[in-house]
Amino acid sequence: MIRLLLILPVSLFSLVSMAQHTLSLSIRSLPEYHPAGSDIYIAGSFNGWNPQDGKYKFIHDGNGQYSAALQLPEGSYEYKLTRGGWDKAECKKDGSTLPNRVLNVSASAEISLTVEEWADRFPAAPRRSTASSHVAVLDTAFLIPQLKRTRRVWIYLPASYSSGIDRYPVLYLHDGQNMFDDATSFSGEWGLDEFLDSTSLRKCIVVAIDHGGNKRLNEYNPYDNDRFGKGEGGEYAGFLARTLKPFIDTRYRTLAAKEHTFIAGSSMGGLISLYAVLQYPDTFGGAGVFSPAFWITGGKMVEEVRNKGKNLKARIYFYAGKLEGETMVPDMLQVSDVLTALTSSELVTVIRDEGKHNEAAWRKEFPLFYEWLLKR
């Protein structure tokens, strides 16, 4: 068993449940043209950034007053207000992006909020594509037979692909809309194409699958959840291993063996990446588990690792930031520690003091993960 632990630096975290504090939120001011009576939601690091979570909806008294109560343990959280979608999120008065709000929870408190404007009040400016010439949309409606849905799928082929006969490793990624193109990303792209175009490291094919919109929390979660509904992660992982990978292997010059097949993602994508490796240990030989949303599993991922970790022989890169909320690092360490005790896999655990739960942090970390994954 090989395990490398990088903590840069990190303090000791308690894994015991922390006391809950009540945050009473009220909206004291709304935009002049606020749609009367519309629902307002809280989306943040404590609910998977779901923009329309009924458990985090403000109570509207019919007279323009909105109030909500959050129960959160001590820690730091980021959030925004929406009217049910990210196209209707709060923004600055001039329509520009508003930074995430921050909750530093140490005791119960009352919080008064002002909403300057809603994003859908401003016409969306055309966004220039930043995808390199080596990125293409493989299909705008690739069938996921396991879920009876379709999805846009992207593919990155190295510059050398068209002029040679070499075969390449393949990396599968979730949240494909955020991987290559700023024009399709929600809050910034990972810049994988720019990195891969310029790196001197070994090149690979990248296949990126868009998330399922309001089905994202279901598709990336293998387990049923009282708040978010039926877990569809088993079907989604089956699609990757049994449908999409065979399609890619038959149409492109890939190195199809597990030693050259990898999977990665962030947040819910980090959760489903680890799950896929555990479910299909003969298919995936490595994973990037960035800021995994293990909180949503209620401990079931720990049990999954205990049940299947001993059969795993893969290379796993765990990453989390200390600014992602109080439970992110201890939840991740609990899973990685259990896996370390069971497997002969090579694991690395990276914890960054400055790491936040956003695309910018994952974009910064990806080249380090990639170098570690393909260094051999």
Side-chain angles (χ1 to χ4, degrees), residues 215-250:
K215 288 291 187 180
R216 180 177 185 270
L217 291 176
N218 306 93
E219 290 182 0
Y220 292 175
N221 186 3
Y223 316 107
D224 293 347
N225 184 280
D226 290 340
R227 185 191 307 167
F228 302 116
K230 176 177 173 53
E232 298 176 335
E235 291 86 348
Y236 176 74
F239 159 69
L240 298 175
R242 302 301 188 210
T243 302
L244 184 57
K245 183 183 185 301
F247 178 91
I248 297 297
D249 288 339
T250 57

Side-chain angles (χ1 to χ4, degrees), residues 120-138:
D120 61 332
R121 276 264 298 128
F122 299 86
R127 297 168 68 184
R128 183 179 62 86
S129 174
T130 60
S132 84
S133 60
H134 303 124
V135 175
V137 173
L138 178 67

Side-chain angles (χ1 to χ4, degrees), residues 101-361:
R101 296 179 184 267
V102 177
L103 276 177
N104 292 310
V105 180
S106 58
S108 295
E110 295 184 358
I111 300 168
S112 184
L113 304 172
T114 294
V115 178
E116 294 185 28
E117 262 299 355
W118 298 112
D120 61 332
R121 276 264 298 128
F122 299 86
R127 297 168 68 184
R128 183 179 62 86
S129 174
T130 60
S132 84
S133 60
H134 303 124
V135 175
V137 173
L138 178 67
D139 195 337
T140 59
F142 196 103
L143 178 63
I144 306 176
Q146 293 83 353
L147 293 169
K148 296 180 174 61
R149 297 177 196 138
T150 61
R151 197 63 40 79
R152 180 172 57 186
V153 178
W154 308 68
I155 189 164
Y156 171 91
L157 297 175
S160 56
Y161 185 90
S162 61
S163 59
I165 60 172
D166 291 343
R167 292 184 173 272
Y168 296 84
V170 182
L171 171 61
Y172 292 87
L173 286 160
H174 320 290
D175 291 312
Q177 73 287 338
N178 293 336
M179 296 297 111
F180 308 111
D181 198 342
D182 189 62
T184 60
S185 68
F186 164 63
S187 58
E189 53 152 320
W190 286 35
L192 300 194
D193 45 341
E194 288 86 354
F195 166 70
L196 292 171
D197 284 350
S198 60
T199 185
S200 60
L201 297 170
R202 183 183 184 188
K203 302 301 175 72
C204 77
I205 294 171
V206 177
V207 179
I209 308 96
D210 280 11
H211 69 60
N214 61 5
K215 288 291 187 180
R216 180 177 185 270
L217 291 176
N218 306 93
E219 290 182 0
Y220 292 175
N221 186 3
Y223 316 107
D224 293 347
N225 184 280
D226 290 340
R227 185 191 307 167
F228 302 116
K230 176 177 173 53
E232 298 176 335
E235 291 86 348
Y236 176 74
F239 159 69
L240 298 175
R242 302 301 188 210
T243 302
L244 184 57
K245 183 183 185 301
F247 178 91
I248 297 297
D249 288 339
T250 57
R251 286 162 176 80
Y252 296 92
R253 298 195 311 273
T254 68
L255 293 167
K258 65 166 285 186
E259 291 79 12
H260 307 290
T261 305
F262 314 114
I263 189 168
S266 61
S267 194
M268 293 296 297
L271 163 62
I272 195 63
S273 293
L274 182 60
Y275 177 82
V277 171
L278 290 167
Q279 291 295 114
Y280 298 97
D282 295 329
T283 300
F284 299 107
V289 183
F290 294 83
S291 307
F294 292 147
W295 61 271
I296 202 172
T297 72
K300 292 178 182 177
M301 179 50 75
V302 175
E303 290 305 310
E304 193 82 47
V305 170
R306 287 194 177 115
N307 292 335
K308 296 182 177 176
K310 61 181 178 297
N311 298 322
L312 187 65
K313 188 172 180 57
R315 308 185 70 221
I316 312 294
Y317 189 101
F318 289 96
Y319 162 84
K322 288 175 63 178
L323 302 182
E324 298 191 65
E326 199 70 22
T327 64
M328 174 60 72
V329 170
D331 282 354
M332 188 184 76
L333 288 178
Q334 184 182 26
V335 171
S336 64
D337 285 348
V338 172
L339 187 57
T340 298
L342 292 172
T343 183
S344 59
S345 299
E346 183 177 356
L347 310 180
V348 61
T349 302
V350 179
I351 299 169
R352 306 284 182 194
D353 269 358
E354 74 285 1
K356 294 183 178 181
H357 199 81
N358 57 32
E359 312 304 323

